[in-house]
């Protein structure tokens, strides 16, 4: 799956929290800092995604101030993703 980054938008992806740091609120605080820095730099929209079963990440994302826009399903084959239905087309 490939999505172009629109002007004024930024994407956060492929995040990982070390085992020893989990449960300490580091992830949402880091996301908040990234959001604040980018908005101060003039970006208007931030996007982030996670796997459907990654509930811990989803909770951290919501605590950081993101809201759910869309749920997408895709088939993963190696490093390639094949979306089912309509893929993200921007806003």
């Amino acid at each position: 799956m490939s999505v172009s980054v629109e002007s004024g938008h930024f994407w956060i992806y492929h995040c990982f929290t070390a085992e020893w740091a989990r449960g300490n609120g580091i992830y949402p605080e880091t996301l908040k800092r990234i959001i604040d820095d980018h908005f101060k730099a003039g970006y208007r929209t931030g996007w982030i995604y996670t796997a459907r079963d990654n509930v811990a990440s989803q909770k951290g994302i919501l605590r950081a101030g993101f809201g759910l826009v869309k749920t997408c399903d895709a088939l993963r084959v190696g490093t390639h993703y094949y979306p089912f239905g309509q893929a993200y087309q921007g806003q």
Side-chain angles (χ1 to χ4, degrees):
M1 183 170 180
S2 177
V3 178
S4 297
V5 179
E6 296 178 31
S7 179
H9 292 210
F10 66 94
W11 283 77
I12 303 170
Y13 61 94
H14 200 64
C15 300
F16 178 81
T17 303
E19 188 70 40
W20 61 266
R22 294 178 185 174
N24 295 312
I26 295 169
Y27 183 55
E29 289 304 316
T30 301
L31 293 177
K32 285 179 190 177
R33 176 64 185 265
I34 292 169
I35 293 166
D36 289 346
D37 288 352
H38 278 75
F39 283 0
K40 286 178 186 172
Y43 289 87
R44 300 180 319 273
T45 304
W47 296 96
I48 190 167
Y49 67 87
T50 184
R52 183 185 301 270
D53 61 346
N54 192 343
V55 176
S57 184
Q58 293 163 17
K59 288 179 180 179
I61 289 167
L62 292 173
R63 278 195 295 272
F66 282 94
L68 178 63
V69 172
K70 185 171 186 172
T71 300
C72 301
D73 290 306
L75 172 65
R76 178 180 176 182
V77 179
T79 59
H80 299 282
Y81 291 85
Y82 302 94
F84 296 125
Q86 185 177 10
Y88 168 79
Q89 298 297 320
Q91 278 193 309

